[in-house]
Amino acid sequence: MSAWLKTLVVSSAAVAFGGAASAAEDSMDAVLGKALFERPWVSAPSSTKAADGLGPLFNARACSSCHQGGGRAAVSLQEGDLPASAGLAVRVGAVKDGKLAPHPELGLQVQTMAVPGLKPEGSLRLSFESHTEQLADGTTVELRRPRFAIMGEQGSSDLAWISPRLAPDLHGSGLLERVPLSRLAALADPDDLNGDGISGSIAMGHYGELDIEPGRFGWKGDEPDLVHQISAAFHFDLGLATPLRPDLWGDCTIAEADCLAAPHGAAPGSVEIESNIVALVVTYLRALPAPAGSRPNADVSTGETIFAKIGCGSCHTPQQQAELASGEMMWFSPYSDLLVHDMGEGLADRAADGSVSPVAGARDWRTAPLWGLGPRVAAKDGANLLHDGRARSVLEAILWHGGEAAQAKQRAVELSAQDRAALIAFLEGL
Ligand code: HEC
Ligand code: HEC
């Protein structure tokens, strides 16, 4: 155990046991994991001794700068230049041999920050294109589609696709991880054999040539579990190497020679973040309780009935089962089938396919869990719903639904003002 980790263990123990007498020893790991989640990692100095090895290119110094309090990115999405650490990750790609591939210079994600002496890959500028949609009762709603541009030397040259994604809320991840694969397989209907127009699939993630696993985390649902997801976060967002993603230079490409040559936090052949550190962060996330919801006083049963009747629940599965460590099954309510669906052209990010993501294509997204929707909508930075935060309200989010969800959306458009209000009241109570 390194010196700083020892210090952390001692100081966190003081917090855990000094603060709450009931804190049991088995919660110690979660306390440590929380400290690691909030820790601003530091870059390696010119000597290779004792430093974390943040970067050389990165998007934030801490997990918690994107997931505040384990929650969603607290970002105000406005036109203009975005701050370097904006709670977003922007995936990019190019076309190689007729297939979509990571970008030859930028890699698979744009890093907006760099260690001293190196330049970030670029900064982000945001603009919106607006249009209006009309509901059956005559109400008009303005929708805005974000356009992200990469500013800087490398700019947006040769970009075949750009996929901006907002850091999601992590509460309840431990339960999502425990939904058995057999349950996902039972919900999936890739060829729409039941003819309801909805064909969810289990996303398949690629982790090297031979490692292809069924996924469930991330907006495209392609990370299989928390260990993979967190290792990807260390790699892409922080530039730190873990056993699952051992490149000390993170997402730097061979075109970025000065990044490859920069000091790293470990000797070649070893990693910057050992598996025990990854495991502590996993324990913290597993201990994060499910979103509490806004617990409305009013009766929301009318809205709940409408939600089911117009087909929202076909993807936003109200009840899921988690298999607890004890082997017991537990019902919980994430309002997601954890499958990916074709959501139509309006939400597509052009990450069409190729070697980058074998199943989740441009139009495919994992059903966003709706638990915690009420507090998200009420957040002071704005609701920022959907993968890139474009929707400012529940109604806007619904109106962006297309593809397999086109029918459900149309039924929502046709609701009377009163029924629509009931539906929204139900959703904002989640
Ligand atoms: C630069 C911002 C940023 C940082 C820093 C960051 N994340 Fe994330 N996180 C994201 C984004 C964006 C996604 C969605 C990724 C996707 O869809 O591919 C995400 C997704 C996740 C998920 C999956 C949640 C779900 O339900 O799908 C987990 C778990 C997670 N991050 C944990 C972490 C941990 C642990 C760290 C620190 C090691 C971290 N993140 C650092 C932006 C960030
Ligand atoms: C075919 C599957 C499907 C159906 C049917 C469906 N949704 Fe969704 N929903 C999704 C997916 C996938 C996303 C994430 C899309 C994205 O982020 O680009 C989503 C996102 C949302 C969000 C945004 C959540 C957030 O935190 O960002 C809301 C709100 C929502 N859906 C409500 C509804 C309602 C209400 C209905 C019924 C009118 C409905 N959905 C029907 C698949 C579906």
Side-chain angles (χ1 to χ4, degrees):
M1 192 186 287
S2 70
W4 66 260
L5 188 59
K6 254 184 226 150
T7 321
L8 183 72
V9 172
V10 173
S11 60
S12 303
V15 173
F17 298 110
S22 64
E25 199 168 333
D26 60 357
S27 71
M28 243 336 268
D29 281 0
V31 174
L32 288 174
K34 179 172 191 287
L36 291 162
F37 188 84
E38 290 166 356
R39 178 171 203 271
W41 300 90
V42 293
S43 54
S46 42
S47 85
T48 53
K49 263 199 245 144
D52 306 334
L54 172 75
L57 299 175
F58 54 98
N59 285 298
R61 291 175 205 281
C63 304
S64 60
S65 32
C66 291
H67 303 279
Q68 277 90 351
R72 196 183 48 151
V75 52
S76 146
L77 286 178
Q78 283 171 5
E79 284 209 304
D81 292 321
L82 293 176
S85 184
L88 286 156
V90 177
R91 295 284 172 111
V92 288
V95 175
K96 199 182 159 201
D97 307 329
K99 270 181 142 188
L100 285 176
H103 189 274
E105 276 157 34
L106 301 170
L108 201 52
Q109 185 168 309
V110 183
Q111 278 81 29
T112 50
M113 299 172 92
V115 298
L118 290 196
K119 284 207 183 88
E121 288 179 327
S123 61
L124 301 174
R125 185 173 293 168
L126 175 59
S127 57
F128 290 108
E129 283 164 15
S130 300
H131 70 275
T132 51
E133 277 208 33
Q134 195 164 31
L135 309 183
D137 70 356
T139 311
T140 55
V141 183
E142 189 204 40
L143 299 179
R144 47 166 213 177
R145 182 201 299 268
R147 293 288 183 210
F148 286 83
I150 301 162
M151 315 303 290
E153 259 166 56
Q154 289 166 337
S156 302
S157 64
D158 308 332
L159 277 188
W161 54 272
I162 174 162
S163 179
R165 302 170 192 187
L166 215 63
D169 188 0
L170 306 181
H171 285 85
S173 312
L175 286 172
L176 300 183
E177 195 183 33
R178 288 188 167 280
V179 176
L181 215 48
S182 55
R183 163 93 179 149
L184 300 189
L187 288 169
D189 182 16
D191 303 317
D192 192 19
L193 295 178
N194 69 0
D196 66 351
I198 294 180
S199 50
S201 333
I202 300 179
M204 300 300 291
H206 250 191
Y207 314 92
E209 283 295 297
L210 297 175
D211 191 6
I212 302 175
E213 293 183 43
R216 68 180 66 198
F217 287 110
W219 287 102
K220 293 264 184 200
D222 51 9
E223 293 290 347
D225 51 33
L226 288 171
V227 173
H228 278 85
Q229 175 74 53
I230 291 171
S231 306
F234 273 119
H235 174 84
F236 289 108
D237 304 327
L238 302 169
L240 287 160
T242 55
L244 277 180
R245 291 195 182 254
D247 292 341
L248 294 171
W249 48 89
D251 187 40
C252 302
T253 59
I254 19 176
E256 297 172 316
D258 49 353
C259 172
L260 299 183
H264 301 294
S270 52
V271 294
E272 294 156 328
I273 303 292
E274 304 281 357
S275 57
N276 60 335
I277 302 284
V278 177
L280 290 171
V281 179
V282 170
T283 306
Y284 162 61
L285 292 183
R286 286 188 183 144
L288 270 184
S294 54
R295 300 209 176 88
N297 299 321
D299 176 19
V300 292
S301 59
T302 311
E304 189 171 12
T305 309
I306 295 169
F307 180 84
K309 201 170 99 192
I310 66 176
C312 308
S314 310
C315 301
H316 295 285
T317 316
Q319 298 281 309
Q320 281 282 23
Q321 260 189 327
E323 187 175 2
L324 303 182
S326 60
E328 264 172 282
M329 300 303 280
M330 182 189 127
W331 288 101
F332 69 110
S333 303
Y335 291 90
S336 171
D337 54 10
L338 298 179
L339 301 176
V340 292
H341 296 273
D342 177 344
M343 294 298 285
E345 217 35 56
L347 287 169
D349 67 353
R350 314 287 151 206
D353 205 334
S355 56
V356 174
S357 182
V359 168
R363 298 151 60 113
D364 294 340
W365 298 99
R366 179 189 75 171
T367 305
L370 298 181
W371 59 4
L373 191 58
R376 281 205 291 287
V377 170
K380 73 170 179 2
D381 293 304
N384 297 337
L385 302 180
L386 299 174
H387 64 271
D388 53 15
R390 67 177 71 185
R392 291 160 291 188
S393 66
V394 168
L395 183 56
E396 283 185 31
I398 296 172
L399 295 178
W400 279 109
H401 281 56
E404 294 170 33
Q407 243 190 354
K409 173 210 155 167
Q410 190 51 34
R411 292 193 201 110
V413 164
E414 284 161 12
L415 290 175
S416 68
Q418 198 185 352
D419 283 352
R420 190 166 66 242
L423 173 66
I424 292 172
F426 160 67
L427 291 165
E428 291 184 351
L430 293 177

PDB file of all heavy atoms in Angstrom, residues 29 211 289:
ATOM      1  N   ASP A  29     -14.578  -0.004   3.425  1.00  0.00           N
ATOM      2  CA  ASP A  29     -14.160   0.021   2.027  1.00  0.00           C
ATOM      3  C   ASP A  29     -14.947   1.072   1.242  1.00  0.00           C
ATOM      4  O   ASP A  29     -14.399   1.740   0.369  1.00  0.00           O
ATOM      5  CB  ASP A  29     -14.358  -1.359   1.376  1.00  0.00           C
ATOM      6  CG  ASP A  29     -13.236  -2.317   1.770  1.00  0.00           C
ATOM      7  OD1 ASP A  29     -12.347  -1.894   2.537  1.00  0.00           O
ATOM      8  OD2 ASP A  29     -13.256  -3.468   1.301  1.00  0.00           O
ATOM      9  N   ASP A 211     -12.360 -10.549 -25.946  1.00  0.00           N
ATOM     10  CA  ASP A 211     -13.229 -10.257 -24.815  1.00  0.00           C
ATOM     11  C   ASP A 211     -14.452  -9.465 -25.284  1.00  0.00           C
ATOM     12  O   ASP A 211     -14.400  -8.258 -25.426  1.00  0.00           O
ATOM     13  CB  ASP A 211     -12.406  -9.477 -23.774  1.00  0.00           C
ATOM     14  CG  ASP A 211     -13.135  -9.342 -22.447  1.00  0.00           C
ATOM     15  OD1 ASP A 211     -14.213  -9.959 -22.317  1.00  0.00           O
ATOM     16  OD2 ASP A 211     -12.645  -8.627 -21.566  1.00  0.00           O
ATOM     17  N   PRO A 289     -26.962   4.501  -2.422  1.00  0.00           N
ATOM     18  CA  PRO A 289     -28.355   4.050  -2.451  1.00  0.00           C
ATOM     19  C   PRO A 289     -29.069   4.441  -3.746  1.00  0.00           C
ATOM     20  O   PRO A 289     -28.623   5.354  -4.439  1.00  0.00           O
ATOM     21  CB  PRO A 289     -28.986   4.780  -1.263  1.00  0.00           C
ATOM     22  CG  PRO A 289     -28.077   5.935  -0.981  1.00  0.00           C
ATOM     23  CD  PRO A 289     -26.709   5.527  -1.418  1.00  0.00           C
TER      24      PRO A 289
END
